[in-house]
Amino acid sequence: MARPDPSTVTMDLPRRDARDKLLGRTRYTVDRALPGMLHAAILRAELASARIVRIDATRARQMPGVRAIASAEDAPGMHGIGIADHPLFASGVIRFHGEQIAAVAADTYEQAQAAVRAIDVELEPVPPVLTMAEALAPGAPLIHPDWKSYEVLFEGGARGGNVAWEASVVRGDTDVAFAREDVVVVESCFRVGRQNHVSLEPRAVIASYEDGRYHIETSTQVPWTVRNQTSKLLGVPPSQVRVTVPPVGGGFGQKFDCTLEPYAAILARKTGQPVRLVYSRQEEMLTCLCRENAEIKIRSAVTRAGEIAGREAVVLMDCGAYGGEQIFLTTMTAHTLGGNYKLGSIKLASRAVYTNTAPNGAFRACNGVYNTFALERHTDEICQAIGTDPLEFRRQNVLGDGDLGATGQVFQGDVLGPMLDRMAQMREASPSKKHLAVNRLYGRATVVGTWFIFVGPSTATINLNADGSATLITAGVELGQGTMVQALPQIVAYELGIHPDNVIVRPADTDAAGFDLGVGGGRTTVSVGAASRAAAADVRDKILKAAGTLLQTAPDKLILHSGRVEIEGKEGSGMTIAQIVQHLHRTVGPVVGSGSFTNPGVPSIPGCAAGHFIDAIDIPVFNVHDCEVAVDPDTGHVDILSYKVVQDVGRALNPRAIHGQIQGGVTQGIGYALHEEHTIGDDGCIRQDSLETYRVPLAQDTLPVEIELYEGAPSIGPLGVKGAGEVPIMNPPAAIACAVANATGCRVQQTPLTPPRVLGLMLMREPELELPHISTNWWENVLRRPT
């Protein structure tokens, strides 16, 4: 059968959900209510480290409107990723300021809050361990003294003491590389702070318990994770938990976990009434699963000719009091800090370190953002040390066809090199903005970045309706990125020969849709898209088979186009899809197709990678960013004059949507680069607990981004697509930091580049960063030693 040209799938479609969202008609989880609904509040610890001496809820139970109180005895199990180290409620000890001790359900939120305040908790303070340097010091108190007893959910990571998880890469012999007489050794240290997602909709859930089953309506990216984790913590079969997802008001990774849902479920079971739990903005700021603070040390052995003979690096990731997503995110270091460039040999260690601080989590492009900052600043320091042009060094060393990645996989296609050439063309076509830097210091930088799409399992079902439209059922979630309302309808419509407007996408419901890994990591268009295309192909085959009988034509001579089945080369000779569906309804039954997708994963060199959830990259994604800045020498204020992006997209299904993702990602990255940071006080509490003290980019901080989409790079995604939402945030901190360093002549080692920090650098009042708790001898930094 003739297939449509894949290029016809590209459309600049408007978002079908835009009008309702702009007019405030979309009903998010926070907008929903059920008859008889109760309201929940959480009792949180006000110490970072303590022993629980006594909890007495007697007075709270007698307060007006109180219907139930839940604590550790209601959920004694542990959960986590990689290791089960996290209780739902604190039991015996407090490990961070803000840890959940109890939950109350009452008729009103005010009554629930009053009851929370009435619970009598006696704590015995214990000196907290608040920094990774303290946690890794010899003889440091153990935040989890019983860490050896925890259930291991994923084998392979090294663990010990206050190191929750360690992933490592050892490829080649770096000792030989660093001992060569023809190399220059360059060492760099970097530190970054925590970043808050600041999703417009806070985390929210409504839980019900009816007919022996839980129904959880929640603002989440991962409905199946919520289903499975809630069932485990409640000690019930997963089939007794149904999760549905209304429109989500932003996630960025903050909702890629099961956090507040079990509390509402327990209270719903105890009361027999629906329970609503919505975190306040302060709770979101204090316990939001931030992008983690981190410390990085990199050493490279580089020849004067520009060959990177060897590289060693250690990344310390503060996971807070519990391992959580940081266990999984240790994987990312191999493919980001170990990405971008050809390396003769390499040793990498990524360590999730326990501290008595709030747990951290996934945030758009995860640790790739700060690893790219560190790697690109280190690259510029290499260029300065060997006296070469940074752009030429990058052209010489970026990964290309046949090159080995950090874990030994072989890359396909020359992508970054041509993307650098495309950026050079953009720079030549657009005059420099240096003239705008009047009486200020001018700097410019071009940087590269490597991200990857992790795929994992997805399923899809399509019902073909009597009017020729299609209903798509998946567990995918619309977070505001547009995939569910733009890309997936385009993929299905392409296969079925209908317009995307005629593809209805059902909201996620674990009772209706098959298993899905969740929305994150740029995987939705790839994985859910591939499953959706397979389901559409199943439907397509059934339609063509039936049409072949009705039109007395072999199915391979038929085409689907504009809602019709036509005999190839004879326009108007066929019939509508709706007519065929109606015929099948009468003779066979409803037309349904199903599809699924996963990928077994790209293997690494045996013995090269340890402790990684993903040993090598399924789909690499590259980008090149260019930034011009002006720095005020009197105040340290950084002004961005221009910003350019060349992004690898595989195939752009909807360029308009991708441009929006890039503009948003760059703006979010500017915030991380220039002013966003959570800091920890001496009491272990996050200091910035509101939008008055935590500054996100405002309208005046944004600027138009010049964008070129680079298409044609290899991809296993449907129609050659790649995820486009994660990668735009990766490079802004690197590009801005390198440009500021070029403008000021100062060594930039930390973000955010606030005016006081930049001014301190220029006045030489900012001490050079050193990380003495990370040894120059790489093997002294790891638990896994050579045998």
Side-chain angles (χ1 to χ4, degrees):
M1 85 193 85
R3 308 285 295 189
D5 181 354
S7 66
T8 62
V9 75
T10 299
M11 299 181 184
D12 275 323
L13 288 177
R15 290 182 59 118
R16 63 176 67 173
D17 58 348
R19 178 173 292 275
D20 281 346
K21 287 182 174 177
L22 288 171
L23 294 176
R25 295 193 293 235
T26 301
R27 295 182 67 244
Y28 300 92
T29 303
V30 293
D31 301 315
R32 294 173 182 254
L34 294 175
M37 186 177 72
L38 302 175
H39 298 265
I42 303 292
L43 171 64
R44 298 182 181 278
E46 295 184 358
L47 292 175
S49 179
R51 282 185 283 274
I52 300 175
V53 177
R54 181 174 57 87
I55 301 174
D56 187 352
T58 303
R59 188 162 63 95
R61 295 182 194 280
Q62 297 169 353
M63 295 187 68
V66 173
R67 304 299 175 186
I69 297 177
S71 56
E73 60 265 22
D74 294 294
M78 306 272 273
H79 66 101
I81 299 174
I83 49 174
D85 64 352
H86 196 167
L88 190 61
F89 294 101
S91 177
V93 297
I94 298 296
R95 292 192 175 94
F96 70 93
H97 194 294
E99 184 162 15
Q100 299 87 343
I101 297 173
V104 176
D107 293 341
T108 69
Y109 180 57
E110 291 73 20
Q111 289 172 331
Q113 285 183 307
V116 160
R117 291 191 293 271
I119 298 175
D120 185 15
V121 179
E122 182 182 348
L123 301 177
E124 180 184 332
V126 174
V129 177
L130 300 180
T131 70
M132 292 187 287
E134 293 171 4
L136 296 175
L142 295 181
I143 294 170
H144 292 263
D146 50 351
W147 65 269
K148 292 182 180 179
S149 68
Y150 291 154
E151 179 187 6
V152 176
L153 307 173
F154 180 86
E155 297 289 344
R159 304 162 55 224
N162 285 324
V163 177
W165 195 269
E166 179 181 281
S168 58
V169 175
V170 177
R171 178 173 63 76
D173 193 333
T174 58
D175 292 339
V176 170
F178 280 93
R180 284 170 52 170
E181 294 183 355
D182 63 338
V183 301
V184 175
V185 176
V186 180
E187 181 175 301
S188 308
C189 294
F190 303 97
R191 176 182 286 143
V192 296
R194 300 187 183 197
Q195 184 184 19
N196 194 297
H197 307 74
V198 196
S199 301
L200 290 180
E201 182 196 26
R203 286 170 288 177
V205 61
I206 299 174
S208 306
Y209 184 69
E210 296 178 354
D211 302 325
R213 296 188 77 215
Y214 297 88
H215 178 200
I216 296 174
E217 293 183 85
T218 183
S219 182
T220 186
Q221 299 172 230
V222 285
W224 276 86
T225 297
V226 170
R227 175 185 187 261
N228 294 335
Q229 290 279 33
T230 300
S231 70
K232 180 178 180 180
L233 285 165
L234 272 58
V236 300
S239 58
Q240 291 184 15
V241 181
R242 176 194 179 198
V243 178
T244 58
V245 186
V248 176
F252 307 118
Q254 177 191 27
K255 299 168 182 176
F256 199 79
D257 201 351
C258 180
T259 53
L260 73 173
E261 293 86 359
Y263 302 110
I266 290 170
L267 292 170
R269 182 188 63 198
K270 290 172 78 77
T271 62
Q273 295 175 254
V275 174
R276 178 181 192 260
L277 176 58
V278 178
Y279 280 178
S280 67
R281 181 58 62 184
Q282 185 181 48
E283 286 178 298
E284 288 288 84
M285 302 300 281
L286 296 179
T287 65
C288 83
L289 303 175
C290 293
R291 187 193 306 281
E292 68 280 3
N293 53 297
E295 295 167 339
I296 306 120
K297 181 175 280 189
I298 314 175
R299 296 174 68 233
S300 293
V302 188
T303 67
R304 291 287 181 185
E307 172 202 357
I308 307 173
R311 174 164 291 157
E312 296 178 348
V314 175
V315 179
L316 303 181
M317 305 165 57
D318 191 339
C319 63
Y322 299 103
E325 290 169 330
Q326 256 51 52
I327 302 295
F328 176 79
L329 299 183
T330 56
T331 288
M332 311 305 192
T333 295
H335 312 306
T336 52
L337 193 62
N340 293 3
Y341 303 108
K342 295 173 283 189
L343 303 171
S345 57
I346 185 168
K347 289 192 185 87
L348 289 177
S350 189
R351 315 182 87 190
V353 181
Y354 287 129
T355 60
N356 286 123
T357 63
N360 292 310
F363 190 143
R364 194 176 193 173
C366 303
N367 67 13
V369 180
Y370 62 72
N371 278 334
T372 300
F373 154 69
L375 178 57
E376 292 303 278
R377 281 294 304 122
H378 179 64
T379 300
D380 276 7
E381 291 188 355
I382 288 173
C383 295
Q384 186 177 11
I386 66 174
T388 191
D389 178 74
L391 274 177
E392 288 307 313
F393 182 87
R394 286 173 169 84
R395 281 196 180 93
Q396 175 185 342
N397 285 286
V398 291
L399 289 165
D401 188 47
D403 289 329
L404 291 181
T407 60
Q409 76 176 95
V410 179
F411 279 86
Q412 297 178 353
D414 285 314
V415 184
L416 268 174
M419 289 174 68
L420 280 166
D421 294 339
R422 183 80 62 86
M423 179 59 77
Q425 295 168 5
M426 290 179 69
R427 287 177 52 146
E428 291 172 7
S430 177
S432 167
K433 298 291 195 289
K434 186 175 182 178
H435 63 282
L436 298 177
V438 180
N439 299 321
R440 294 179 293 175
L441 305 173
Y442 171 82
R444 186 171 200 168
T446 299
V447 300
V448 299
T450 304
W451 186 240
F452 63 101
I453 310 300
F454 64 92
V455 288
S458 290
T459 58
T461 301
I462 292 176
N463 297 322
L464 202 57
N465 304 313
D467 62 357
S469 65
T471 299
L472 174 64
I473 303 168
T474 76
V477 176
E478 177 54 50
L479 305 177
Q481 82 280 28
T483 304
M484 304 301 298
V485 294
Q486 291 174 303
L488 295 189
Q490 285 180 256
I491 291 170
V492 171
Y494 166 83
E495 283 293 324
L496 298 182
I498 59 180
H499 193 275
D501 287 349
N502 292 323
V503 179
I504 302 156
V505 181
R506 293 289 302 154
D509 182 341
T510 57
D511 273 5
F515 178 76
D516 188 90
L517 195 61
V519 174
R523 67 177 299 276
T524 312
T525 303
V526 171
S527 294
V528 183
S532 300
R533 189 182 186 192
D538 190 10
V539 169
R540 176 190 180 94
D541 290 345
K542 293 174 181 177
I543 289 296
L544 291 175
K545 181 179 179 181
T549 301
L550 292 172
L551 298 174
Q552 297 184 340
T553 304
D556 61 359
K557 300 296 183 183
L558 301 175
I559 60 172
L560 292 173
H561 180 67
S562 300
R564 294 179 60 82
V565 181
E566 303 281 10
I567 299 173
E568 188 176 3
K570 298 180 180 180
E571 187 174 349
S573 59
M575 57 201 308
T576 66
I577 292 174
Q579 289 173 312
I580 297 168
V581 175
Q582 291 161 17
H583 166 74
L584 288 172
H585 279 186
R586 294 190 300 270
T587 58
V588 178
V591 184
V592 180
S594 62
S596 60
F597 174 80
T598 193
N599 193 56
V602 175
S604 64
I605 290 177
C608 172
H612 293 83
F613 289 72
I614 302 168
D615 281 345
I617 303 175
D618 289 310
I619 306 176
V621 185
F622 304 103
N623 61 5
V624 179
H625 287 208
D626 179 88
C627 178
E628 292 179 277
V629 302
V631 181
D632 190 317
D634 297 320
T635 66
H637 177 78
V638 178
D639 187 20
I640 300 174
L641 304 177
S642 76
Y643 206 95
K644 297 176 173 62
V645 172
V646 178
Q647 181 163 316
D648 164 28
V649 295
R651 180 188 297 278
L653 297 184
N654 192 325
R656 173 174 172 175
I658 296 173
H659 279 238
Q661 285 292 303
I662 293 173
Q663 178 73 54
V666 168
T667 300
Q668 213 168 26
I670 288 171
Y672 185 50
L674 294 182
H675 41 71
E676 289 187 55
E677 183 179 26
H678 272 313
T679 56
I680 309 296
D682 292 339
D683 60 354
C685 184
I686 289 174
R687 290 192 179 104
Q688 298 78 14
D689 64 353
S690 73
L691 293 178
E692 293 180 343
T693 52
Y694 184 87
R695 190 190 161 201
V696 295
L698 306 175
Q700 64 186 7
D701 297 309
T702 64
L703 76 161
V705 179
E706 296 179 54
I707 300 168
E708 288 274 350
L709 304 183
Y710 185 86
E711 298 189 79
S715 174
I716 62 170
L719 302 169
V721 303
K722 296 185 177 185
E726 296 258 307
V727 69
I729 196 177
M730 282 191 64
N731 283 23
I736 294 168
C738 289
V740 168
N742 292 336
T744 62
C746 298
R747 192 180 190 193
V748 175
Q749 298 174 283
Q750 300 187 68
T751 63
L753 290 168
T754 60
R757 176 166 284 159
V758 175
L759 187 61
L761 286 171
M762 291 190 291
L763 296 177
M764 293 184 290
R765 294 175 182 169
E766 191 85 4
E768 189 161 298
L769 177 67
E770 296 180 352
L771 301 172
H773 51 286
I774 303 179
S775 174
T776 300
N777 182 337
W778 188 86
W779 286 110
E780 293 179 0
N781 298 293
V782 295
L783 297 169
R784 193 187 307 273
R785 300 299 174 91
T787 55

